[in-house]
Amino acid sequence: GTGEAAMTTMRRGLASLLVLPRLAMTGCGDDDATPRGTTMTSSSGGASTSSPAPTGPLSAPEVLALGGLALPANTSGVTAEQVDASAMQWLEVYRVSFSAPRSNALQICQTGGMGDLPSTGLTAADEELLGPSVTHVDGMRTCSSTWPENSAWDRLVVIAPGDPATVHVAISKMGR
């Protein structure tokens, strides 16, 4: 549909932005997605800034970092979007999707300090956070929690069955 076309366009734009200082420091992931010669680091919402809102769209690694998560190695089809949260209970909502070999996909929960569990279904809030394209299927795994290092942010991850596995992540900031 038109959403996929928009995501394809966004995916192309994000390909040049896949820089995550945490991955660079820990040596995780493969270097194929990292632009050569890039040494930028980003500071998110410093105390001297009156507005913590980012300027411009965030890359998938930047979105995941808001919730203390990182892309696993060998990902493909990476997309990221900021959701219009004006009619939602959250102040900010971001979505990231990607495919990865199943063993790598399952690592996103472990690296975030969460264990993945069999999914028994998605709540209405889960569906709102993940978007209409994500539905529960038998064999789906899930993990979710508030990020212990910054409790303003919640993380929700669903991992579809299969290998490679499709992963959908929602990073949200509660507001009201």
Side-chain angles (χ1 to χ4, degrees), residues 50-65:
S50 60
S51 171
T55 56
L58 294 178
S59 69
E62 289 169 327
V63 169
L64 292 173

Side-chain angles (χ1 to χ4, degrees), residues 44-46 49-54 58 63 66-67 82-86 88-95 129 145-147 150-156 170-176:
S44 53
T49 310
S50 60
S51 171
L58 294 178
V63 169
L66 291 173
Q82 181 169 5
V83 178
D84 178 4
S86 59
M88 301 171 129
Q89 62 181 323
W90 298 276
L91 286 177
E92 294 177 56
V93 176
Y94 299 89
R95 295 178 185 142
L129 285 169
S145 77
T146 298
W147 186 28
N150 184 346
S151 61
W153 294 99
D154 291 323
R155 313 82 67 86
L156 168 63
I171 304 291
S172 58
K173 186 176 195 175
M174 280 305 268
R176 314 193 203 302

Side-chain angles (χ1 to χ4, degrees), residues 67-90:
L69 301 175
L71 277 174
N74 302 315
T75 56
S76 62
V78 179
T79 62
E81 68 173 320
Q82 181 169 5
V83 178
D84 178 4
S86 59
M88 301 171 129
Q89 62 181 323
W90 298 276

